[in-house]
Amino acid sequence: MKTVIMAGGRGTRIADYSKALTGKVLPKPMIPIDGVPVLEWEINSLREQGFTQFIITVSYLAEEIVDYFGDGSGVSPVTGKPFGVQIEYFHEQEPLGNAGALYKLRDKLVDDADGSEDFLLLNADSIFDLNFQRLVAYHRAKGARATLFTHPNSHPYDSGLILAAVDGGVEKWLTKEDVRPEYYKNRVNAGVHVMNVAALDKAAVVSGIDVSQIGKVQADSKIYKVDLDRQILKPLCGRNVAGGYNVYCYDSPEYVKDMGTPERFEAVAKDFKAGIVQAKNLSHKQKAIFLDRDGTLNKYVGFLRKTDELELLSGVAEAIRKINASGYLAIVITNQPVVARGEVTFEGLEEIHRKLETDLGKEGAYIDALYYCPHHPDKGFAGEVPELKMDCTCRKPKPGMILQAAKDFNIDLAASWMVGDSEADIACGKNAGVHTALLSREKTDDYGQEVTVDNLLDFVEEHMEA
């Protein structure tokens, strides 16, 4: 599979910073982190996972990139190690938009070795460390024309949002200017894509892209450009004629962040030097804080049935921000028997959880995943859902949800915690083999928990590293 890295941006917001840092103005991909250019870190990460064929699009200060990497057969001037890859370049002599080059390169995107028409599409101004083989396997299992690497971030309120079905099929792509629903899942495109050449062909038809005009001056004196998000990916969202989806999202907590401003660059450089970037790769064991919902994140109101009944507890957003910054995953584990009892539909519960994610996002916090058990063993409720009335393996105190999360995210249970306000939470944590913390102001309940604290923020500040 070939990898296309878009490295032609001017980097005007970070130009002065790069000069102050290195003594010269550099294209964004060549700004060093820990002494090594960002683009070299990207190439090294991909090479180590078997991706060795690269096409790099260049424009602004192209010579800085071409002279450094050459065709990939040489040795890094910084590390003294061989690049060990094959690189060819596409020089944008005129601005083509962030996707026009893909149409110019279309025939080069097919892998000559096996005829694969899938390719990786990445931005050169991002720091990432993720399991690309896992991403590609997901893309191919879905039979997707395009797969987006998606994750939550600390500012979903001003980011483009991806709205997806339960199976990951992308229903809608909401750009910043689009009207968004009141409550939404914190799911943002990270700028890492697996695409198929068929996506380009389909988008050309759907969006009316005149491939012959790309890069040419039009009657209005403007150059004909193509925008990746608005003209290719967004128009392909929704169900196709076969009832499936052209575009799927691949949710992962792995590290992908752009470094296009001085502030963002300093943040990712700090994370890189602290080892957080590398540790987030799902090929490595993860650490998680498993969180109960009612009474732990939001005020306990008994059986919560409506979105307006969900209200975050004081200090919760701050606590989760600290978890997000720590390298731990924040994963919600909650029993929701209201579904089996017929009091809340699956969609109603999803809306409640969208409110949870929206409210957290407004305060710069996010959860990495949420698991819920919709079952209930007892019968006799009016309107109950018979197929959900069962003695399942996921309802706390059984550890099914934690064990599933551990499988999904390669979690080291012995290094993780379950935090909740009930005996079932503590028993669930103990059954799963994680550390346990009880939230209890009275401090009198003893369920065998390792620590007892007043609230989630106290736990994070006092015990999370224990």
Side-chain angles (χ1 to χ4, degrees):
M1 177 182 291
K2 294 185 177 180
T3 299
V4 179
I5 300 181
M6 312 296 280
R10 291 188 60 84
T12 53
R13 294 177 296 176
I14 203 171
D16 291 342
Y17 181 85
S18 72
K19 185 175 183 179
L21 189 68
T22 66
K24 63 187 295 188
V25 175
L26 293 170
K28 284 187 293 183
M30 297 305 292
I31 300 174
I33 288 183
D34 206 17
V36 178
V38 167
L39 182 55
E40 186 170 355
W41 285 121
E42 290 188 353
I43 290 174
N44 289 344
S45 175
L46 287 154
R47 183 196 64 240
E48 290 170 2
Q49 298 182 58
F51 298 89
T52 59
Q53 299 183 70
F54 292 86
I55 301 174
I56 301 178
T57 67
V58 293
S59 180
Y60 176 67
L61 296 178
E63 67 278 2
E64 293 285 348
I65 296 173
V66 177
D67 291 348
Y68 186 92
F69 291 100
D71 64 2
S73 64
V75 172
S76 166
V78 171
T79 68
K81 297 179 180 179
F83 296 116
V85 297
Q86 303 170 34
I87 300 175
E88 57 182 305
Y89 299 92
F90 177 83
H91 291 255
E92 286 196 21
Q93 304 300 332
E94 59 284 311
L96 304 178
N98 61 4
L102 296 179
Y103 285 97
K104 299 286 187 180
L105 291 167
R106 184 200 179 284
D107 293 340
K108 288 181 175 290
L109 298 176
V110 178
D111 190 321
D112 296 332
D114 62 7
S116 170
E117 294 191 347
D118 290 326
F119 61 96
L120 289 176
L121 177 62
L122 313 173
N123 295 319
D125 59 352
S126 294
I127 285 293
F128 56 71
D129 197 324
L130 56 100
N131 189 329
F132 281 99
Q133 295 289 359
R134 192 173 185 265
L135 169 61
V136 170
Y138 175 91
H139 167 82
R140 288 178 168 167
K142 293 294 185 181
R145 283 183 167 144
T147 297
L148 318 175
F149 180 101
T150 50
H151 60 181
N153 73 11
S154 60
H155 53 100
Y157 46 83
D158 66 359
S159 301
L161 294 174
I162 305 300
L163 307 185
V166 174
D167 67 350
V170 178
E171 301 275 8
K172 290 183 180 179
W173 180 310
L174 300 181
T175 51
K176 293 179 182 180
E177 63 268 24
D178 290 330
V179 176
R180 63 185 59 201
E182 182 178 8
Y183 305 124
Y184 47 82
K185 183 175 177 61
N186 186 339
R187 180 187 273 131
V188 177
N189 180 34
V192 172
H193 318 83
V194 187
M195 295 185 65
N196 190 282
V197 170
L200 302 178
D201 299 340
K202 180 70 173 178
V205 175
V206 173
S207 298
I209 298 170
D210 188 343
V211 176
S212 68
Q213 292 300 306
I214 295 173
K216 295 182 179 180
V217 178
Q218 304 300 292
D220 59 3
S221 299
K222 294 181 179 179
I223 296 175
Y224 193 102
K225 304 176 184 178
V226 180
D227 183 87
L228 177 65
D229 293 354
R230 291 168 175 78
Q231 291 179 269
I232 296 179
L233 295 172
K234 183 177 179 179
L236 293 182
C237 295
R239 290 192 178 275
N240 56 35
V241 292
Y245 294 88
N246 295 311
V247 183
Y248 284 82
C249 63
Y250 171 83
D251 291 333
S252 174
E254 292 169 294
Y255 197 104
V256 181
K257 289 187 180 180
D258 78 86
M259 34 71 71
T261 67
E263 296 77 18
R264 291 176 184 171
F265 178 86
E266 290 180 356
V268 298
K270 181 180 178 181
D271 287 346
F272 191 92
K273 292 175 182 178
I276 292 175
V277 177
Q278 303 88 330
K280 285 279 193 175
N281 187 306
L282 289 182
S283 63
H284 305 308
K285 283 291 186 181
Q286 305 296 304
K287 299 183 297 183
I289 308 297
F290 296 105
L291 301 161
D292 173 50
R293 195 191 78 178
D294 302 318
T296 299
L297 302 183
N298 53 277
K299 291 183 178 179
Y300 181 76
V301 295
F303 289 113
L304 193 157
R305 302 177 178 88
K306 300 177 181 177
T307 54
D308 59 10
E309 294 176 336
L310 187 139
E311 181 181 351
L312 292 178
L313 289 165
S314 176
V316 160
E318 181 181 356
I320 294 183
R321 284 199 304 270
K322 290 178 180 290
I323 295 174
N324 298 151
S326 72
Y328 280 84
L329 303 179
I331 299 178
V332 177
I333 302 291
T334 178
N335 288 346
Q336 290 302 316
V338 288
V339 180
R341 289 159 57 111
E343 297 166 354
V344 177
T345 63
F346 279 108
E347 174 55 30
L349 183 60
E350 292 290 345
E351 182 73 353
I352 290 169
H353 291 153
R354 287 192 284 267
K355 183 178 192 300
L356 173 65
E357 295 205 40
T358 302
D359 289 352
L360 286 171
K362 289 177 180 177
E363 298 193 52
Y366 58 85
I367 56 174
D368 292 289
L370 186 151
Y371 294 79
Y372 65 84
C373 170
H375 308 114
H376 193 260
D378 301 329
K379 300 179 180 180
F381 298 91
E384 66 185 21
V385 182
E387 59 268 27
L388 298 177
K389 307 298 291 186
M390 66 174 71
D391 185 13
C392 62
T393 59
C394 53
R395 179 176 168 82
K396 294 182 290 186
K398 293 180 180 178
M401 288 185 284
I402 291 181
L403 298 181
Q404 184 60 53
K407 179 180 178 182
D408 292 342
F409 298 112
N410 193 21
I411 294 171
D412 180 356
L413 294 175
S416 301
W417 287 82
M418 176 71 214
V419 183
D421 66 332
S422 73
E423 182 177 8
D425 295 324
I426 302 305
C428 177
K430 293 174 71 175
N431 289 335
V434 302
H435 299 286
T436 53
L438 180 70
L439 307 186
S440 172
R441 293 188 179 277
E442 290 75 22
K443 307 280 196 308
T444 56
D445 295 321
D446 183 1
Y447 306 128
Q449 68 272 13
E450 295 176 44
V451 299
T452 305
V453 291
D454 285 352
N455 53 60
L456 182 59
L457 184 58
D458 284 351
F459 163 76
V460 168
E461 294 180 337
E462 298 172 13
H463 299 284
M464 196 168 67
E465 292 299 330

